[in-house]
């Protein structure tokens, strides 16, 4: 059962600031899946679940700006990976809660935010992350903006690992075992090709 949550109290962040090293350095947000860039597909999934939408990007900022407020990595944390993008998003987040997803998950559940936020709104933790079929998906998370100071301290101490930082702040795992297709990362050309095949089947069903 989906929960009714005031989306105006939630911000969304799409992580699109990576180097795309396994995609020959391409900006993954602009790779096309069945004729549409990944950023368009992920935005279409996440935007209805949140209020303001932020996009963590370090290239092609004017193009990304057409789909949300762009937030490049702070100079202090340049090269620090996904956590730098998270820091950038938290630093401008105007709501109490931030829901995060990477730009290479085009089949995100339409109740991602509601399910990730449920334990946080009950006061069980300040951060939750998705899990599915025995795998963790730490880049899909919801968290309180109160964690910004902790994240900055972790980065300044040399930390770079998303799961390590999440564990340190007491993250909970939220299961999405009913939606395994939602968490097919598109990190390589082969994975993108498989997603194209899946999207074709999905459109025909």
């Amino acid at each position: 059962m989906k929960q009714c949550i005031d989306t105006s109290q939630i911000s969304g962040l799409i992580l699109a600031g990576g180097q795309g090293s396994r995609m020959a350095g391409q900006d993954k947000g602009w790779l096309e899946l069945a004729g549409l860039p990944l950023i368009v597909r992920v935005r279409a999934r996440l935007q209805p679940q949140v209020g303001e939408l932020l996009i963590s990007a370090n290239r092609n900022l004017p193009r990304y700006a057409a789909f949300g407020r762009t937030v490049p990595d702070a100079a202090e944390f340049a090269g620090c990976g996904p956590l730098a993008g998270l820091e950038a998003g938290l630093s401008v987040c105007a709501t109490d809660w931030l829901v995060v997803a990477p730009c290479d998950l085009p089949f995100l559940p339409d109740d991602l935010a509601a399910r990730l936020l449920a334990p946080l709104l009950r006061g069980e933790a300040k951060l939750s992350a998705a899990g599915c079929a025995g795998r963790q998906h730490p880049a899909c998370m919801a968290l309180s903006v109160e964690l910004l100071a902790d994240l900055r301290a972790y980065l300044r101490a040399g930390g770079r690992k998303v799961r390590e930082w999440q564990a340190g702040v007491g993250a909970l795992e939220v299961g999405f075992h009913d939606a395994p297709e939602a968490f097919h990362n598109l990190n390589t050309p082969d994975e993108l090709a498989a997603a194209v095949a899946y999207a074709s089947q999905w459109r025909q069903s």
Side-chain angles (χ1 to χ4, degrees), residues 29 35 37 39 49 52 79 131 136 139 173 176 180 190:
I39 185 64
Q49 304 182 48
E52 182 181 24
Q136 295 178 320
E173 181 175 315
F176 286 83
D190 286 345

Side-chain angles (χ1 to χ4, degrees), residues 81-136:
L83 289 179
L86 179 60
E87 189 279 336
L90 284 172
S91 69
V92 301
C93 183
T95 59
D96 292 338
W97 306 102
L98 184 67
V99 176
V100 184
C103 69
D104 63 351
L105 289 182
F107 308 116
L108 285 174
D110 60 7
D111 59 354
L112 179 76
R115 291 168 68 170
L116 287 176
L117 283 167
L120 309 189
L121 296 175
R122 293 194 297 266
E124 298 173 12
K126 291 187 177 181
L127 187 151
S128 64
C132 181
R135 292 186 59 190
Q136 295 178 320

Side-chain angles (χ1 to χ4, degrees), residues 36-48:
L36 287 176
L38 292 180
I39 185 64
V40 174
R41 292 187 173 277
V42 176
R43 178 185 183 273
R45 292 278 179 154
L46 187 59
Q47 179 69 88

Side-chain angles (χ1 to χ4, degrees), residues 161-187:
K161 298 179 180 178
V162 178
R163 292 182 189 179
E164 182 179 72
W165 176 70
Q166 290 177 340
V169 297
L172 294 178
E173 181 175 315
V174 174
F176 286 83
H177 309 299
D178 56 324
E181 73 286 346
F183 298 96
H184 289 165
N185 288 88
L186 309 185
N187 288 316

